[in-house]
Short mmCIF file of all heavy atoms in Angstrom, two decimals:
data_model
loop_
_atom_site.label_atom_id
_atom_site.label_comp_id
_atom_site.label_asym_id
_atom_site.label_seq_id
_atom_site.Cartn_x
_atom_site.Cartn_y
_atom_site.Cartn_z
N MET A 1 -36.29 36.11 40.52
CA MET A 1 -34.93 35.84 40.05
C MET A 1 -34.67 34.42 40.69
O MET A 1 -34.79 34.15 41.74
CB MET A 1 -34.04 36.89 40.78
CG MET A 1 -32.64 36.60 40.54
SD MET A 1 -31.62 38.05 41.26
CE MET A 1 -30.19 36.98 41.86
N LYS A 2 -34.07 33.60 39.78
CA LYS A 2 -33.67 32.30 39.98
C LYS A 2 -32.28 32.20 40.63
O LYS A 2 -31.46 32.80 39.96
CB LYS A 2 -33.86 31.42 38.91
CG LYS A 2 -33.83 29.94 39.17
CD LYS A 2 -34.12 29.10 38.01
CE LYS A 2 -34.12 27.58 38.36
NZ LYS A 2 -34.53 26.89 37.29
N LEU A 3 -32.11 31.64 41.67
CA LEU A 3 -30.69 31.62 42.37
C LEU A 3 -29.95 30.35 41.75
O LEU A 3 -30.55 29.29 41.75
CB LEU A 3 -30.74 31.55 43.78
CG LEU A 3 -31.45 32.70 44.45
CD1 LEU A 3 -31.56 32.56 46.03
CD2 LEU A 3 -30.82 34.05 44.23
N ASP A 4 -28.66 30.64 41.47
CA ASP A 4 -27.84 29.53 41.01
C ASP A 4 -27.10 28.81 42.26
O ASP A 4 -27.40 29.29 43.45
CB ASP A 4 -26.76 29.98 39.96
CG ASP A 4 -25.77 30.96 40.55
OD1 ASP A 4 -25.82 31.32 41.65
OD2 ASP A 4 -24.97 31.39 39.67
N LYS A 5 -26.39 27.82 42.05
CA LYS A 5 -25.77 27.04 43.09
C LYS A 5 -24.90 27.91 44.14
O LYS A 5 -24.96 27.80 45.20
CB LYS A 5 -24.98 25.90 42.54
CG LYS A 5 -24.36 25.09 43.51
CD LYS A 5 -23.52 23.93 42.85
CE LYS A 5 -22.73 23.09 43.84
NZ LYS A 5 -22.00 22.04 43.14
N GLU A 6 -24.07 28.77 43.42
CA GLU A 6 -23.16 29.71 44.19
C GLU A 6 -23.96 30.72 44.93
O GLU A 6 -23.56 30.95 46.17
CB GLU A 6 -22.19 30.36 43.16
CG GLU A 6 -21.20 31.28 43.88
CD GLU A 6 -20.15 30.47 44.76
OE1 GLU A 6 -19.91 29.25 44.53
OE2 GLU A 6 -19.56 31.07 45.64
N GLN A 7 -25.02 31.26 44.51
CA GLN A 7 -25.81 32.30 45.31
C GLN A 7 -26.40 31.50 46.45
O GLN A 7 -26.59 32.11 47.54
CB GLN A 7 -26.90 32.97 44.34
CG GLN A 7 -26.11 33.80 43.37
CD GLN A 7 -27.22 34.40 42.39
OE1 GLN A 7 -28.12 33.72 41.91
NE2 GLN A 7 -27.05 35.69 42.06
N LYS A 8 -26.94 30.33 46.23
CA LYS A 8 -27.55 29.50 47.38
C LYS A 8 -26.61 29.33 48.43
O LYS A 8 -26.90 29.41 49.67
CB LYS A 8 -28.20 28.20 46.93
CG LYS A 8 -29.50 28.53 46.09
CD LYS A 8 -30.00 27.12 45.65
CE LYS A 8 -31.16 27.56 44.61
NZ LYS A 8 -31.71 26.18 43.98
N ARG A 9 -25.36 28.83 48.09
CA ARG A 9 -24.31 28.68 49.06
C ARG A 9 -23.93 29.81 49.80
O ARG A 9 -23.75 29.77 51.02
CB ARG A 9 -22.98 28.01 48.32
CG ARG A 9 -22.07 27.62 49.20
CD ARG A 9 -20.61 27.28 48.50
NE ARG A 9 -20.04 28.51 47.97
CZ ARG A 9 -19.42 29.47 48.64
NH1 ARG A 9 -19.25 29.23 50.08
NH2 ARG A 9 -18.85 30.48 47.99
N LEU A 10 -23.84 30.89 49.16
CA LEU A 10 -23.46 32.23 49.85
C LEU A 10 -24.68 32.67 50.79
O LEU A 10 -24.25 33.10 51.89
CB LEU A 10 -23.23 33.31 48.77
CG LEU A 10 -22.86 34.63 49.36
CD1 LEU A 10 -21.34 34.73 49.59
CD2 LEU A 10 -23.27 35.74 48.45
N LEU A 11 -25.75 32.46 50.29
CA LEU A 11 -26.98 32.78 51.19
C LEU A 11 -26.88 31.96 52.48
O LEU A 11 -27.26 32.38 53.61
CB LEU A 11 -28.27 32.65 50.41
CG LEU A 11 -29.42 33.41 50.88
CD1 LEU A 11 -29.06 34.96 51.05
CD2 LEU A 11 -30.69 33.30 50.11
N LYS A 12 -26.65 30.66 52.37
CA LYS A 12 -26.70 29.79 53.46
C LYS A 12 -25.50 30.20 54.43
O LYS A 12 -25.60 30.07 55.65
CB LYS A 12 -26.38 28.39 53.07
CG LYS A 12 -27.67 27.60 52.56
CD LYS A 12 -27.37 26.27 52.05
CE LYS A 12 -28.56 25.74 51.24
NZ LYS A 12 -28.25 24.27 50.75
N ALA A 13 -24.35 30.58 53.92
CA ALA A 13 -23.28 31.02 54.73
C ALA A 13 -23.51 32.38 55.40
O ALA A 13 -22.98 32.67 56.56
CB ALA A 13 -22.02 31.17 53.84
N PHE A 14 -24.30 33.24 54.75
CA PHE A 14 -24.61 34.56 55.25
C PHE A 14 -25.76 34.60 56.31
O PHE A 14 -25.89 35.44 57.08
CB PHE A 14 -24.87 35.41 54.09
CG PHE A 14 -24.96 36.96 54.47
CD1 PHE A 14 -23.87 37.67 54.93
CD2 PHE A 14 -26.21 37.65 54.30
CE1 PHE A 14 -23.90 38.88 55.29
CE2 PHE A 14 -26.30 39.00 54.72
CZ PHE A 14 -25.10 39.62 55.15
N TRP A 15 -26.47 33.54 56.32
CA TRP A 15 -27.75 33.46 57.21
C TRP A 15 -27.48 33.65 58.69
O TRP A 15 -28.18 34.39 59.32
CB TRP A 15 -28.42 32.06 56.97
CG TRP A 15 -29.71 32.06 57.61
CD1 TRP A 15 -30.02 31.17 58.63
CD2 TRP A 15 -30.96 32.64 57.27
NE1 TRP A 15 -31.41 31.40 58.92
CE2 TRP A 15 -31.83 32.29 58.19
CE3 TRP A 15 -31.26 33.64 56.25
CZ2 TRP A 15 -33.20 32.80 58.08
CZ3 TRP A 15 -32.52 34.08 56.13
CH2 TRP A 15 -33.49 33.65 57.17
N PRO A 16 -26.36 33.12 59.24
CA PRO A 16 -26.17 33.31 60.74
C PRO A 16 -25.83 34.69 61.00
O PRO A 16 -26.40 35.30 62.11
CB PRO A 16 -24.93 32.48 61.07
CG PRO A 16 -24.90 31.35 59.96
CD PRO A 16 -25.44 32.02 58.76
N ALA A 17 -25.17 35.45 60.11
CA ALA A 17 -24.84 36.89 60.29
C ALA A 17 -26.23 37.65 60.24
O ALA A 17 -26.39 38.68 60.94
CB ALA A 17 -23.97 37.35 59.34
N MET A 18 -27.08 37.21 59.39
CA MET A 18 -28.37 37.95 59.19
C MET A 18 -29.35 37.78 60.51
O MET A 18 -30.00 38.62 60.83
CB MET A 18 -29.09 37.43 58.03
CG MET A 18 -28.47 37.78 56.76
SD MET A 18 -29.22 36.95 55.26
CE MET A 18 -30.94 36.93 55.62
N LEU A 19 -28.98 36.74 61.29
CA LEU A 19 -29.79 36.58 62.47
C LEU A 19 -29.08 37.25 63.75
O LEU A 19 -29.82 37.78 64.67
CB LEU A 19 -30.00 35.11 62.71
CG LEU A 19 -30.86 34.48 61.78
CD1 LEU A 19 -30.85 32.85 62.10
CD2 LEU A 19 -32.23 34.93 61.73
N VAL A 20 -27.77 37.21 63.71
CA VAL A 20 -26.97 37.55 65.02
C VAL A 20 -26.69 38.96 64.99
O VAL A 20 -26.87 39.72 66.06
CB VAL A 20 -25.76 36.79 65.06
CG1 VAL A 20 -24.83 37.27 66.12
CG2 VAL A 20 -25.95 35.30 65.28
N PHE A 21 -26.21 39.62 63.89
CA PHE A 21 -25.81 41.07 63.98
C PHE A 21 -26.88 42.07 64.40
O PHE A 21 -26.61 42.91 65.28
CB PHE A 21 -25.33 41.46 62.57
CG PHE A 21 -24.82 42.82 62.60
CD1 PHE A 21 -23.78 43.24 63.19
CD2 PHE A 21 -25.68 43.80 61.90
CE1 PHE A 21 -23.26 44.71 63.09
CE2 PHE A 21 -25.21 45.19 61.81
CZ PHE A 21 -24.04 45.46 62.46
N PRO A 22 -28.12 42.03 63.87
CA PRO A 22 -29.07 43.04 64.36
C PRO A 22 -29.42 43.02 65.83
O PRO A 22 -29.87 43.95 66.36
CB PRO A 22 -30.37 42.78 63.42
CG PRO A 22 -29.84 41.99 62.32
CD PRO A 22 -28.64 41.24 62.83
N PHE A 23 -29.30 41.81 66.50
CA PHE A 23 -29.66 41.76 67.86
C PHE A 23 -28.39 41.71 68.74
O PHE A 23 -28.40 42.18 69.86
CB PHE A 23 -30.57 40.56 68.03
CG PHE A 23 -31.70 40.49 67.27
CD1 PHE A 23 -31.95 39.79 66.22
CD2 PHE A 23 -32.86 41.38 67.70
CE1 PHE A 23 -33.02 39.82 65.45
CE2 PHE A 23 -34.01 41.30 66.92
CZ PHE A 23 -34.10 40.67 65.81
N GLY A 24 -27.33 41.17 68.23
CA GLY A 24 -26.08 41.07 68.93
C GLY A 24 -25.39 42.49 69.23
O GLY A 24 -24.94 42.79 70.17
N TYR A 25 -25.47 43.25 68.24
CA TYR A 25 -24.71 44.64 68.35
C TYR A 25 -25.52 45.51 69.41
O TYR A 25 -24.72 45.99 70.23
CB TYR A 25 -24.72 45.22 67.01
CG TYR A 25 -23.91 46.60 66.95
CD1 TYR A 25 -22.50 46.56 67.15
CD2 TYR A 25 -24.59 47.82 66.79
CE1 TYR A 25 -21.91 47.78 67.24
CE2 TYR A 25 -23.85 48.99 66.75
CZ TYR A 25 -22.53 48.97 67.03
OH TYR A 25 -21.80 50.11 67.01
N PRO A 26 -26.77 45.62 69.42
CA PRO A 26 -27.27 46.43 70.34
C PRO A 26 -27.14 45.87 71.84
O PRO A 26 -27.01 46.48 72.91
CB PRO A 26 -28.92 46.43 70.01
CG PRO A 26 -28.93 46.18 68.51
CD PRO A 26 -27.67 45.24 68.34
N LEU A 27 -27.23 44.41 71.90
CA LEU A 27 -26.90 43.86 73.18
C LEU A 27 -25.52 44.12 73.81
O LEU A 27 -25.35 44.54 74.93
CB LEU A 27 -26.91 42.20 73.00
CG LEU A 27 -26.77 41.50 74.27
CD1 LEU A 27 -27.76 41.70 75.32
CD2 LEU A 27 -26.58 40.03 73.88
N PHE A 28 -24.37 44.16 72.91
CA PHE A 28 -23.11 44.47 73.41
C PHE A 28 -23.14 45.95 73.77
O PHE A 28 -22.43 46.46 74.66
CB PHE A 28 -22.05 44.25 72.27
CG PHE A 28 -21.63 42.78 72.22
CD1 PHE A 28 -21.94 41.99 71.13
CD2 PHE A 28 -20.93 42.25 73.39
CE1 PHE A 28 -21.57 40.60 71.26
CE2 PHE A 28 -20.54 40.97 73.28
CZ PHE A 28 -20.95 40.24 72.19
N MET A 29 -23.81 46.86 72.93
CA MET A 29 -23.75 48.44 73.26
C MET A 29 -24.52 48.62 74.58
O MET A 29 -24.02 49.39 75.32
CB MET A 29 -24.53 49.03 72.17
CG MET A 29 -23.72 49.06 70.92
SD MET A 29 -22.16 49.91 70.95
CE MET A 29 -22.72 51.58 70.98
N TRP A 30 -25.45 47.75 74.93
CA TRP A 30 -26.27 47.85 76.28
C TRP A 30 -25.40 47.30 77.37
O TRP A 30 -25.26 47.93 78.43
CB TRP A 30 -27.44 46.96 76.18
CG TRP A 30 -28.26 47.01 77.46
CD1 TRP A 30 -28.85 48.03 77.98
CD2 TRP A 30 -28.41 45.85 78.36
NE1 TRP A 30 -29.40 47.56 79.23
CE2 TRP A 30 -29.07 46.27 79.42
CE3 TRP A 30 -27.90 44.50 78.21
CZ2 TRP A 30 -29.37 45.48 80.41
CZ3 TRP A 30 -28.22 43.75 79.31
CH2 TRP A 30 -28.98 44.11 80.35
N ILE A 31 -24.67 46.29 77.02
CA ILE A 31 -23.71 45.69 78.15
C ILE A 31 -22.66 46.63 78.44
O ILE A 31 -22.24 46.86 79.60
CB ILE A 31 -22.99 44.45 77.65
CG1 ILE A 31 -24.09 43.40 77.57
CG2 ILE A 31 -21.95 43.92 78.55
CD1 ILE A 31 -23.72 42.07 77.04
N PHE A 32 -22.07 47.50 77.44
CA PHE A 32 -21.00 48.41 77.70
C PHE A 32 -21.51 49.83 78.09
O PHE A 32 -20.78 50.72 78.31
CB PHE A 32 -20.01 48.56 76.54
CG PHE A 32 -19.44 47.29 76.33
CD1 PHE A 32 -19.42 46.61 75.08
CD2 PHE A 32 -18.53 46.78 77.25
CE1 PHE A 32 -18.62 45.48 74.82
CE2 PHE A 32 -17.78 45.61 77.07
CZ PHE A 32 -17.85 44.96 75.84
N GLY A 33 -22.89 49.87 78.34
CA GLY A 33 -23.46 51.16 78.75
C GLY A 33 -23.60 52.30 77.75
O GLY A 33 -23.63 53.37 78.18
N LYS A 34 -23.54 51.98 76.53
CA LYS A 34 -23.59 52.96 75.43
C LYS A 34 -25.09 53.39 75.06
O LYS A 34 -25.34 54.43 74.41
CB LYS A 34 -22.98 52.56 74.23
CG LYS A 34 -21.42 52.20 74.45
CD LYS A 34 -20.73 53.41 74.70
CE LYS A 34 -19.18 53.22 74.83
NZ LYS A 34 -18.42 54.23 75.21
N LEU A 35 -26.16 52.60 75.48
CA LEU A 35 -27.45 52.91 75.16
C LEU A 35 -28.19 53.36 76.32
O LEU A 35 -28.06 52.89 77.53
CB LEU A 35 -28.14 51.56 74.69
CG LEU A 35 -27.58 50.94 73.40
CD1 LEU A 35 -28.24 49.67 73.09
CD2 LEU A 35 -27.73 51.90 72.18
N ASP A 36 -29.00 54.48 76.09
CA ASP A 36 -29.74 55.11 77.12
C ASP A 36 -31.19 54.68 77.28
O ASP A 36 -31.66 54.77 78.47
CB ASP A 36 -29.56 56.67 77.02
CG ASP A 36 -28.19 57.15 77.04
OD1 ASP A 36 -27.43 56.54 77.80
OD2 ASP A 36 -27.93 58.16 76.39
N SER A 37 -31.79 54.32 76.28
CA SER A 37 -33.24 53.99 76.26
C SER A 37 -33.63 52.91 75.29
O SER A 37 -32.79 52.52 74.49
CB SER A 37 -34.02 55.22 76.00
OG SER A 37 -33.90 55.63 74.52
N TRP A 38 -34.87 52.43 75.44
CA TRP A 38 -35.40 51.44 74.64
C TRP A 38 -35.51 51.94 73.11
O TRP A 38 -35.50 51.09 72.14
CB TRP A 38 -36.69 50.88 75.00
CG TRP A 38 -36.52 49.85 76.16
CD1 TRP A 38 -36.79 50.12 77.52
CD2 TRP A 38 -35.99 48.54 76.13
NE1 TRP A 38 -36.42 48.97 78.25
CE2 TRP A 38 -36.04 48.03 77.41
CE3 TRP A 38 -35.67 47.73 75.06
CZ2 TRP A 38 -35.58 46.71 77.68
CZ3 TRP A 38 -35.16 46.42 75.22
CH2 TRP A 38 -35.21 45.96 76.60
N LYS A 39 -35.73 53.25 73.03
CA LYS A 39 -35.87 53.82 71.69
C LYS A 39 -34.50 53.51 70.96
O LYS A 39 -34.49 53.37 69.76
CB LYS A 39 -36.17 55.22 71.87
CG LYS A 39 -36.31 56.00 70.48
CD LYS A 39 -36.61 57.42 70.84
CE LYS A 39 -36.71 58.25 69.47
NZ LYS A 39 -36.93 59.66 69.64
N ASP A 40 -33.42 53.79 71.68
CA ASP A 40 -32.10 53.60 70.96
C ASP A 40 -31.92 52.21 70.57
O ASP A 40 -31.30 51.85 69.45
CB ASP A 40 -31.04 54.02 71.97
CG ASP A 40 -30.95 55.47 72.13
OD1 ASP A 40 -31.54 56.29 71.49
OD2 ASP A 40 -30.32 55.90 73.27
N VAL A 41 -32.40 51.24 71.43
CA VAL A 41 -32.25 49.89 71.14
C VAL A 41 -33.02 49.51 69.86
O VAL A 41 -32.58 48.77 68.98
CB VAL A 41 -32.68 48.96 72.36
CG1 VAL A 41 -32.69 47.40 72.01
CG2 VAL A 41 -31.81 49.12 73.52
N LEU A 42 -34.14 49.92 69.78
CA LEU A 42 -34.98 49.57 68.63
C LEU A 42 -34.53 50.24 67.40
O LEU A 42 -34.66 49.64 66.30
CB LEU A 42 -36.59 50.10 68.92
CG LEU A 42 -37.31 49.31 69.98
CD1 LEU A 42 -38.66 49.94 70.27
CD2 LEU A 42 -37.38 47.85 69.65
N ILE A 43 -34.07 51.48 67.46
CA ILE A 43 -33.43 52.13 66.37
C ILE A 43 -32.24 51.25 65.77
O ILE A 43 -32.02 51.08 64.61
CB ILE A 43 -32.97 53.63 66.57
CG1 ILE A 43 -34.28 54.42 66.75
CG2 ILE A 43 -32.14 54.21 65.48
CD1 ILE A 43 -34.12 55.80 67.24
N MET A 44 -31.41 50.93 66.78
CA MET A 44 -30.23 50.05 66.35
C MET A 44 -30.58 48.67 65.80
O MET A 44 -29.98 48.39 64.82
CB MET A 44 -29.32 49.82 67.57
CG MET A 44 -28.53 51.11 67.98
SD MET A 44 -27.37 50.84 69.27
CE MET A 44 -26.07 50.21 68.20
N ILE A 45 -31.63 48.04 66.28
CA ILE A 45 -32.13 46.91 65.71
C ILE A 45 -32.62 47.12 64.31
O ILE A 45 -32.42 46.40 63.33
CB ILE A 45 -33.26 46.22 66.58
CG1 ILE A 45 -32.51 45.65 67.88
CG2 ILE A 45 -33.90 45.06 65.87
CD1 ILE A 45 -33.61 45.13 68.90
N GLY A 46 -33.43 48.15 64.22
CA GLY A 46 -33.92 48.37 62.84
C GLY A 46 -32.88 48.81 61.71
O GLY A 46 -32.92 48.25 60.60
N VAL A 47 -31.91 49.57 62.25
CA VAL A 47 -30.78 49.96 61.28
C VAL A 47 -29.98 48.65 60.95
O VAL A 47 -29.65 48.44 59.85
CB VAL A 47 -29.96 51.05 61.85
CG1 VAL A 47 -28.61 51.23 61.25
CG2 VAL A 47 -30.73 52.32 61.98
N GLY A 48 -29.83 47.82 61.98
CA GLY A 48 -29.05 46.55 61.81
C GLY A 48 -29.75 45.61 60.82
O GLY A 48 -29.10 45.12 59.89
N LEU A 49 -31.04 45.47 60.97
CA LEU A 49 -31.78 44.78 59.93
C LEU A 49 -31.74 45.22 58.52
O LEU A 49 -31.50 44.45 57.63
CB LEU A 49 -33.29 44.60 60.43
CG LEU A 49 -33.58 43.67 61.51
CD1 LEU A 49 -35.03 43.87 62.01
CD2 LEU A 49 -33.35 42.34 61.26
N LEU A 50 -31.93 46.52 58.44
CA LEU A 50 -31.77 47.17 57.11
C LEU A 50 -30.43 46.97 56.49
O LEU A 50 -30.33 46.70 55.32
CB LEU A 50 -32.14 48.64 57.32
CG LEU A 50 -32.17 49.42 55.94
CD1 LEU A 50 -33.26 49.04 55.09
CD2 LEU A 50 -32.29 50.89 56.24
N LEU A 51 -29.30 47.13 57.33
CA LEU A 51 -28.05 46.94 56.85
C LEU A 51 -27.73 45.60 56.46
O LEU A 51 -27.16 45.25 55.25
CB LEU A 51 -27.02 47.44 58.03
CG LEU A 51 -25.60 47.27 57.59
CD1 LEU A 51 -25.26 48.35 56.57
CD2 LEU A 51 -24.73 47.57 58.82
N VAL A 52 -28.21 44.62 57.22
CA VAL A 52 -28.01 43.11 56.79
C VAL A 52 -28.73 42.82 55.53
O VAL A 52 -28.26 42.06 54.69
CB VAL A 52 -28.50 42.24 57.98
CG1 VAL A 52 -28.67 40.80 57.55
CG2 VAL A 52 -27.40 42.29 59.12
N ILE A 53 -29.93 43.45 55.39
CA ILE A 53 -30.66 43.10 54.24
C ILE A 53 -30.11 43.69 52.86
O ILE A 53 -29.91 43.00 51.91
CB ILE A 53 -32.22 43.65 54.40
CG1 ILE A 53 -32.97 42.82 55.18
CG2 ILE A 53 -32.85 43.64 52.92
CD1 ILE A 53 -34.28 43.34 55.69
N VAL A 54 -29.58 44.95 53.10
CA VAL A 54 -28.86 45.51 51.95
C VAL A 54 -27.61 44.82 51.54
O VAL A 54 -27.29 44.52 50.42
CB VAL A 54 -28.64 47.03 52.10
CG1 VAL A 54 -27.74 47.64 51.19
CG2 VAL A 54 -29.90 47.83 52.14
N VAL A 55 -26.70 44.47 52.56
CA VAL A 55 -25.58 43.90 52.33
C VAL A 55 -25.91 42.42 51.66
O VAL A 55 -25.13 41.95 50.73
CB VAL A 55 -24.66 43.80 53.55
CG1 VAL A 55 -23.49 42.81 53.41
CG2 VAL A 55 -24.24 45.07 53.96
N GLY A 56 -26.80 41.74 52.29
CA GLY A 56 -27.14 40.36 51.67
C GLY A 56 -27.55 40.52 50.26
O GLY A 56 -27.16 39.54 49.42
N ILE A 57 -28.34 41.47 49.86
CA ILE A 57 -28.69 41.59 48.53
C ILE A 57 -27.60 41.88 47.63
O ILE A 57 -27.33 41.26 46.55
CB ILE A 57 -29.79 42.73 48.36
CG1 ILE A 57 -31.06 42.35 49.02
CG2 ILE A 57 -29.94 43.17 46.89
CD1 ILE A 57 -32.13 43.43 49.04
N PHE A 58 -26.61 42.77 48.08
CA PHE A 58 -25.38 42.94 47.33
C PHE A 58 -24.51 41.74 47.15
O PHE A 58 -24.00 41.44 46.13
CB PHE A 58 -24.56 44.12 47.89
CG PHE A 58 -25.10 45.52 47.62
CD1 PHE A 58 -25.07 46.38 48.60
CD2 PHE A 58 -25.46 45.82 46.34
CE1 PHE A 58 -25.52 47.72 48.25
CE2 PHE A 58 -26.01 47.16 46.01
CZ PHE A 58 -26.03 48.06 47.08
N TYR A 59 -24.42 40.88 48.24
CA TYR A 59 -23.66 39.67 48.16
C TYR A 59 -24.28 38.66 47.23
O TYR A 59 -23.60 38.15 46.38
CB TYR A 59 -23.55 39.02 49.50
CG TYR A 59 -22.50 39.54 50.41
CD1 TYR A 59 -22.43 39.09 51.81
CD2 TYR A 59 -21.57 40.33 50.00
CE1 TYR A 59 -21.53 39.55 52.65
CE2 TYR A 59 -20.67 40.96 50.87
CZ TYR A 59 -20.52 40.47 52.13
OH TYR A 59 -19.61 40.85 53.03
N VAL A 60 -25.65 38.52 47.25
CA VAL A 60 -26.29 37.51 46.40
C VAL A 60 -26.14 38.05 44.90
O VAL A 60 -25.79 37.25 43.96
CB VAL A 60 -27.75 37.33 46.76
CG1 VAL A 60 -28.54 36.60 45.70
CG2 VAL A 60 -27.74 36.65 48.17
N LEU A 61 -26.34 39.30 44.57
CA LEU A 61 -26.24 39.76 43.19
C LEU A 61 -24.77 39.76 42.72
O LEU A 61 -24.64 39.42 41.64
CB LEU A 61 -26.83 41.10 43.13
CG LEU A 61 -28.38 41.30 43.30
CD1 LEU A 61 -28.70 42.84 43.33
CD2 LEU A 61 -29.15 40.61 42.33
N GLY A 62 -23.83 40.00 43.63
CA GLY A 62 -22.53 40.02 43.24
C GLY A 62 -21.88 38.68 42.92
O GLY A 62 -20.90 38.56 42.46
N SER A 63 -22.59 37.65 43.57
CA SER A 63 -22.09 36.29 43.51
C SER A 63 -22.45 35.60 42.16
O SER A 63 -22.26 34.32 42.01
CB SER A 63 -22.27 35.51 44.68
OG SER A 63 -23.74 35.24 44.72
N LYS A 64 -23.31 36.25 41.37
CA LYS A 64 -23.89 35.70 40.20
C LYS A 64 -22.64 35.44 39.20
O LYS A 64 -21.85 36.21 38.88
CB LYS A 64 -24.72 36.69 39.47
CG LYS A 64 -25.37 36.09 38.18
CD LYS A 64 -26.51 35.37 38.51
CE LYS A 64 -27.26 35.08 37.12
NZ LYS A 64 -27.93 33.80 37.25
N ILE A 65 -22.63 34.12 38.86
CA ILE A 65 -21.44 33.57 37.91
C ILE A 65 -21.98 33.67 36.48
O ILE A 65 -22.91 33.08 36.14
CB ILE A 65 -20.88 32.28 38.15
CG1 ILE A 65 -20.37 32.25 39.75
CG2 ILE A 65 -19.94 31.80 37.26
CD1 ILE A 65 -19.96 30.93 40.08
N PRO A 66 -21.46 34.54 35.62
CA PRO A 66 -21.82 34.68 34.25
C PRO A 66 -21.65 33.36 33.53
O PRO A 66 -20.57 32.59 33.66
CB PRO A 66 -21.12 35.74 33.58
CG PRO A 66 -20.04 36.17 34.63
CD PRO A 66 -20.31 35.43 35.86
N LYS A 67 -22.67 33.05 32.73
CA LYS A 67 -22.50 31.77 31.83
C LYS A 67 -21.79 32.20 30.51
O LYS A 67 -21.99 33.21 30.03
CB LYS A 67 -23.95 31.18 31.63
CG LYS A 67 -24.53 30.70 32.97
CD LYS A 67 -25.95 30.00 32.65
CE LYS A 67 -26.55 29.84 33.84
NZ LYS A 67 -26.56 28.61 34.45
N LYS A 68 -21.04 31.17 30.06
CA LYS A 68 -20.40 31.37 28.73
C LYS A 68 -21.40 31.22 27.57
O LYS A 68 -22.34 30.50 27.61
CB LYS A 68 -19.32 30.37 28.46
CG LYS A 68 -18.20 30.58 29.57
CD LYS A 68 -17.02 29.56 29.12
CE LYS A 68 -15.91 29.89 30.07
NZ LYS A 68 -14.74 28.91 29.81
N ASP A 69 -21.33 31.97 26.61
CA ASP A 69 -22.21 31.95 25.35
C ASP A 69 -21.66 30.79 24.56
O ASP A 69 -20.38 30.63 24.39
CB ASP A 69 -22.26 33.23 24.60
CG ASP A 69 -22.85 34.37 25.36
OD1 ASP A 69 -23.64 34.01 26.31
OD2 ASP A 69 -22.59 35.51 25.12
N ALA A 70 -22.53 30.06 23.88
CA ALA A 70 -22.21 29.07 23.01
C ALA A 70 -21.90 27.82 23.61
O ALA A 70 -21.68 26.83 23.80
CB ALA A 70 -20.98 29.39 21.97
#
């Protein structure tokens, strides 16, 4: 799939969230004492990565600007 200008711009804007959220959320949960083991941390990182990938795909696909015919 070839990305247009708007999709590339959106992907560049979404990139920091893709890096920070999967690792930042478990870190805050650990700081506030909500995580009991490393297993919980790894599960949260995995779920966070999966969530960011799915949301990123929806954002990129949803930002496709249709071209006018003719």
Side-chain angles (χ1 to χ4, degrees):
M1 179 176 145
K2 192 171 186 179
L3 300 177
D4 63 4
K5 183 180 175 183
E6 182 66 21
Q7 288 174 320
K8 288 179 186 176
R9 185 191 67 77
L10 181 85
L11 202 54
K12 285 179 187 176
F14 190 65
W15 188 251
M18 289 173 38
L19 295 176
V20 172
F21 178 74
F23 301 104
Y25 185 64
L27 178 67
F28 280 114
M29 294 296 284
W30 176 70
I31 289 171
F32 293 123
K34 302 291 184 184
L35 296 177
D36 296 330
S37 67
W38 282 104
K39 181 181 175 185
D40 293 340
V41 172
L42 293 175
I43 289 172
M44 288 189 80
I45 289 173
V47 169
L49 285 171
L50 184 66
L51 183 67
V52 164
I53 289 170
V54 169
V55 169
I57 289 171
F58 282 137
Y59 277 172
V60 169
L61 291 177
S63 67
K64 179 86 172 151
I65 299 175
K67 298 186 190 256
K68 292 183 179 181
D69 293 336

